[in-house]
Amino acid sequence: MNTAIVTAIARRGISGLQLNTRSYTAQSKPTLSFKQFIQRGKVLAMYRKYMRLLKQIPDKKTRKEMREWIRFDFDKYRSETDSQRIEVLLGQANRQFKEMQSSIFSAV
């Protein structure tokens, strides 16, 4: 901890210390619109569904390969901003999820 801060705390106490309260925002990330925010939530929910499904694969090697494949696919489209394209990708991900889910349950 910075000695000046420690000295200020010792002199004034925590309540007397004035900190810079200016809010910090990441300048490299633009603010999301409401629709983009909702889509982001849908994408994250789909990713979590895949990760939960992977836990049901008994073979560790297969589970690791599938995790890498899923991660690669989600990372590939990470910078996509077109909302219609994102909806199409979510539809594809949902269909692939259902196929994967049925193949896992039929194999187990």
Side-chain angles (χ1 to χ4, degrees):
M1 190 175 222
N2 189 338
T3 57
I5 294 173
V6 173
T7 306
I9 291 171
R11 285 187 194 154
R12 299 182 189 159
I14 295 284
S15 61
L17 182 65
Q18 293 192 1
L19 299 174
N20 183 1
T21 56
R22 185 176 65 173
S23 64
Y24 173 78
T25 57
Q27 295 175 356
S28 63
K29 293 184 180 182
T31 305
L32 298 176
S33 70
F34 181 71
K35 186 173 185 175
Q36 290 170 329
F37 176 77
I38 297 299
Q39 282 185 328
R40 182 179 181 272
K42 289 178 182 179
V43 170
L44 290 172
M46 180 60 69
Y47 184 78
R48 285 188 214 109
K49 279 174 60 174
Y50 270 108
M51 292 301 120
R52 280 188 227 109
L53 185 62
L54 288 178
K55 292 178 183 177
Q56 298 173 8
I57 298 174
D59 183 40
K60 288 184 180 183
K61 184 179 178 184
T62 305
R63 190 179 326 138
K64 183 180 178 193
E65 289 172 357
M66 292 300 290
R67 182 175 287 121
E68 290 171 358
W69 171 71
I70 292 166
R71 178 69 189 247
F72 175 78
D73 265 6
F74 275 83
D75 280 344
K76 184 167 57 172
Y77 297 107
R78 172 175 255 154
S79 62
E80 185 65 53
T81 57
D82 181 25
S83 62
Q84 290 179 339
R85 177 76 174 133
I86 293 171
E87 288 298 325
V88 168
L89 291 168
L90 279 170
Q92 289 174 354
N94 199 24
R95 283 189 296 279
Q96 289 176 349
F97 176 83
K98 289 177 182 177
E99 289 176 21
M100 186 174 161
Q101 188 177 32
S102 65
S103 66
I104 288 174
F105 287 126
S106 65
V108 175

